Amino acid sequence: IDIFHEGVQLTPSNNFRLSEGSWTASFLERGLFGNLFPIIMWFLSENQSIGATRLGTILLILLNKVLLVLLAKQISENINFKNLGKILFFLSLSLIFISFADYYDQSHFSRRFVLYLLFFNVLIQAISIKNNLSSSNILLGFISIVSFLWWLDIALYLNTVLLLVLIFNFYRKENLKFYSILIGLTLGIITMLLFIPYSELKILISNA
């Protein structure tokens, strides 16, 4: 066992099982999912073990690969090539992207990048659509708020990008896109207020 890196997941997760507290039971310096994701695997496998936790990491790396392929697909579709050129470009880009997510060397795309990649897949869709109220832009805002329950550093990256997108839409007077993102942000805030007790939320903000 890697006492430091695996310990920051296993200890808070075990504390949660004993006390049903998250931020009030442990110091979650990564974020809710970042520190407590073993609980999901323990629940699904009905087995509280280190092996189940490591299986969760493998599944998240696999999800990284899927999202990277989808990202390559979106990039390829928006390039001004003929059909054959797009296919060849997509295959080449997919192979390069997939090589970044390694089950053994997680220095490039670790499990925390899943939400990051999902965000950018949605972002490309949101940018490409016309100026109207869209589910893509609403989802963009929602993900940005919920990301604070994922990994705190990822949340900071995503919300910085979202701020730039809001400024971009405002400058281009794409008001419906702008309002769609604000609706998503509002829904995300309401969701957190409804499902996270005030005592936990207070410590989340303090830790952040």
Side-chain angles (χ1 to χ4, degrees), residues 1-15 17 30 32-62 103 106 110-112 151:
I1 182 174
D2 181 342
I3 293 174
F4 177 75
H5 292 96
E6 292 185 303
V8 296
Q9 305 153 18
L10 298 173
T11 300
S13 298
N14 194 52
N15 288 348
R17 290 183 72 253
R30 292 181 175 179
L32 187 67
F33 186 84
N35 287 106
L36 299 182
F37 90 94
I39 292 172
I40 298 173
M41 296 307 301
W42 294 347
F43 174 77
L44 294 175
S45 65
E46 298 181 351
N47 179 27
Q48 184 184 353
S49 68
I50 298 171
T53 302
R54 290 175 176 170
L55 175 61
T57 297
I58 291 172
L59 293 175
L60 287 171
I61 298 297
L62 174 62
Y103 294 110
Q106 298 176 27
S110 62
R111 59 183 179 272
R112 66 181 181 156
W151 251 271

Side-chain angles (χ1 to χ4, degrees), residues 129-133 173-178:
I129 61 177
K130 295 181 179 179
N131 180 31
N132 53 36
L133 291 172
K173 297 182 179 179
E174 295 183 321
N175 296 330
L176 293 177
K177 283 188 176 183
F178 184 88

Side-chain angles (χ1 to χ4, degrees), residues 141-206:
F142 184 80
I143 291 174
S144 297
I145 293 297
V146 175
S147 64
F148 283 99
L149 303 179
W150 184 261
W151 251 271
L152 285 176
D153 56 348
I154 295 296
L156 294 174
Y157 300 149
L158 297 190
N159 282 275
T160 300
V161 172
L162 188 72
L163 177 61
L164 296 175
V165 172
L166 283 168
I167 294 172
F168 178 74
N169 289 337
F170 182 79
Y171 176 76
R172 288 171 57 90
K173 297 182 179 179
E174 295 183 321
N175 296 330
L176 293 177
K177 283 188 176 183
F178 184 88
Y179 294 142
S180 294
I181 294 174
L182 292 184
I183 290 171
L185 289 170
T186 303
L187 290 174
I189 292 171
I190 292 173
T191 300
M192 290 184 69
L193 292 175
L194 287 176
F195 290 98
I196 301 177
Y198 176 74
S199 58
E200 299 285 354
L201 190 62
K202 185 178 178 180
I203 300 179
L204 161 63
I205 295 171
S206 176

Side-chain angles (χ1 to χ4, degrees), residues 23-118:
W23 290 275
T24 55
S26 305
F27 176 61
L28 307 184
E29 92 288 2
R30 292 181 175 179
L32 187 67
F33 186 84
N35 287 106
L36 299 182
F37 90 94
I39 292 172
I40 298 173
M41 296 307 301
W42 294 347
F43 174 77
L44 294 175
S45 65
E46 298 181 351
N47 179 27
Q48 184 184 353
S49 68
I50 298 171
T53 302
R54 290 175 176 170
L55 175 61
T57 297
I58 291 172
L59 293 175
L60 287 171
I61 298 297
L62 174 62
L63 188 54
N64 271 338
K65 290 178 179 286
V66 172
L67 290 170
L68 283 165
V69 171
L70 291 176
L71 191 63
K73 177 177 179 292
Q74 292 205 73
I75 293 172
S76 302
E77 287 176 343
N78 286 281
I79 289 182
N80 190 22
F81 288 166
K82 294 182 178 179
N83 287 337
L84 180 59
K86 285 186 177 183
I87 292 172
L88 293 175
F89 183 83
F90 166 69
L91 291 174
S92 301
L93 193 61
S94 294
L95 291 173
I96 293 171
F97 278 4
I98 287 175
S99 69
F100 291 153
D102 194 308
Y103 294 110
Y104 301 100
D105 179 11
Q106 298 176 27
S107 58
H108 298 297
F109 284 95
S110 62
R111 59 183 179 272
R112 66 181 181 156
F113 277 89
V114 168
L115 196 68
Y116 196 69
L117 292 171
L118 176 63

